[in-house]
Amino acid sequence: MKRLIVSDSSCNLYSMGDLADDCGFSYVPLTIHVGDKEFVDTDSLNPIHMIDEMYAYKGKTSSACPSPDDWIQEFNKADEIFALTITSGLSGCYNSAMLARDIVLAESPEKRIFVMDSLSTGPEMVLIMEKLNELFEQNLDFKDICQQITAYSQQTHLLFKLENMENLVKNGRVSRLVATVADVLNIHVVGRASAQGTLELLHKCRGASRSYCSILKEMILNGYSNGKVIISHCDNASGAEMLKNKIMEAFENPDITIHATGGLCSYYAERHGLLVGYESV
Ligand code: X90
């Protein structure tokens, strides 16, 4: 195969359609531990069952990123690799992929491997993956694709709405102090992926409806104007629809896709959490 997009499973996508000729997509799964049980974040995992078990379990739960070996297996499948990881600000995924890159290049120096730290996760990663495929179709060379995708990633952003931040706090991804606001019943925390790829809380909203208004406002403030939007939801299809409708009331024909979160994002975004990836101009 000539070109391969390899993502980690935090993008919530387990296959990609309409790929350019001689190009492929694959992913490396993260894992979630609930007591002795291991959930591997593949397309055969049912994330809703997983979080049901997780809420029923009172002991320790955690996540783990893929090993360099997991990445190496994928990097060996094509001549040119475009790997995309969840933010290095919250996970070891990027470091693990970079180690894999060094090992593969030492053995096969003719290969080309670009590892990109998304400084984000979920739907913002999907925007970048879809753009990569568009760039493949334009017959650009490896270097140009790397440059253009880096430039594009400056115009993609991530907002989130969380009703519970317990797993983020317990796993040390956000401080208890920052998260206290989310402990209150019916408080929806709206935040974004910061420039450093960490969680930045923006607003606490009473009730879901206010949180969708706040998301739309943030998008507009940050330069959204009719570009692509991808909403990923954890067991909250109706919330995702409501947000979609709000965006559609404000813009002419925006390009909005909705998908469900997979294992890793369901674990951290928790029930009813939403992640919103969007483009700015
Ligand atoms: O390496 C690992 O074990 C994975 C750790 C992942 C930690 C955070 C995942 C967050 C998922 C929650 C809201 C979005 C925050 C985005 C900030 C960049 C979703």
Side-chain angles (χ1 to χ4, degrees):
M1 196 186 314
K2 186 167 191 283
R3 290 177 166 157
L4 185 68
I5 300 173
V6 189
S7 168
D8 63 59
S9 64
S10 73
C11 68
N12 303 312
L13 213 65
Y14 302 93
S15 66
M16 264 182 99
D18 297 325
L19 284 165
D21 286 350
D22 209 16
C23 294
F25 165 76
S26 64
Y27 65 93
V28 287
L30 287 103
T31 45
I32 295 99
H33 295 100
V34 176
D36 293 340
K37 207 159 166 184
E38 179 177 82
F39 295 91
V40 183
D41 189 9
T42 65
D43 54 352
S44 47
L45 174 72
N46 182 326
I48 307 293
H49 290 171
M50 182 195 77
I51 61 169
D52 281 341
E53 278 194 41
M54 171 194 99
Y55 287 126
Y57 181 75
K58 294 296 164 234
K60 192 174 155 31
T61 65
S62 61
S63 66
C65 68
S67 69
D69 271 348
D70 299 328
W71 289 102
I72 289 171
Q73 278 185 27
E74 301 309 318
F75 290 0
N76 278 326
K77 289 182 180 164
D79 308 329
E80 294 184 0
I81 304 291
F82 297 84
L84 185 63
T85 74
I86 185 171
T87 173
S88 62
L90 297 174
S91 167
C93 251
Y94 174 74
N95 282 339
S96 159
M98 284 299 276
L99 260 171
R101 177 181 182 271
D102 290 347
I103 294 167
V104 172
L105 287 181
E107 276 209 356
S108 320
E110 72 293 349
K111 254 188 204 290
R112 288 161 179 262
I113 306 174
F114 180 58
V115 180
M116 185 171 180
D117 178 357
S118 72
L119 296 171
S120 182
T121 189
E124 186 177 356
M125 289 169 73
V126 177
L127 288 172
I128 295 170
M129 286 148 59
E130 290 179 351
K131 175 61 87 180
L132 271 173
N133 190 42
E134 277 173 46
L135 296 171
F136 292 172
E137 273 160 357
Q138 291 169 27
N139 270 327
L140 300 168
D141 66 23
F142 181 80
K143 208 171 115 238
D144 289 340
I145 295 177
C146 296
Q147 268 168 4
Q148 292 205 28
I149 201 65
T150 305
Y152 176 73
S153 71
Q154 305 298 310
Q155 286 168 264
T156 58
H157 314 277
L158 183 81
L159 287 166
F160 54 82
K161 183 208 81 147
L162 304 174
E163 292 182 30
N164 190 339
M165 298 178 76
E166 223 26 58
N167 284 340
L168 283 163
V169 173
K170 279 190 193 152
N171 286 285
R173 314 289 162 171
V174 73
S175 80
R176 168 72 63 193
L177 202 67
V178 171
T180 44
V181 287
D183 288 346
V184 183
L185 202 70
N186 204 27
I187 290 294
H188 299 241
V189 170
V190 170
R192 68 177 167 206
S194 70
Q196 298 73 36
T198 54
L199 271 94
E200 182 180 349
L201 302 195
L202 296 168
H203 305 286
K204 28 185 177 165
C205 308
R206 197 166 294 279
S209 175
R210 287 203 177 95
S211 73
Y212 305 140
C213 292
S214 150
I215 289 176
L216 178 60
K217 253 196 214 153
E218 280 303 325
M219 287 170 64
I220 295 170
L221 261 176
N222 201 31
Y224 175 75
S225 82
N226 244 354
K228 276 163 85 172
V229 182
I230 304 178
I231 305 172
S232 311
H233 67 86
C234 177
D235 200 15
N236 192 4
S238 62
E241 254 336 293
M242 267 191 247
L243 175 60
K244 177 179 173 177
N245 290 336
K246 277 234 177 302
I247 301 169
M248 285 175 52
E249 282 164 23
F251 291 92
E252 293 259 329
N253 286 320
D255 176 356
I256 309 177
T257 318
I258 296 181
H259 19 91
T261 48
L264 193 272
C265 282
S266 298
Y267 175 70
Y268 282 107
E270 302 210 27
R271 181 158 272 143
H272 298 160
L274 292 184
L275 305 179
V276 187
Y278 66 97
E279 294 176 335
S280 64
V281 284

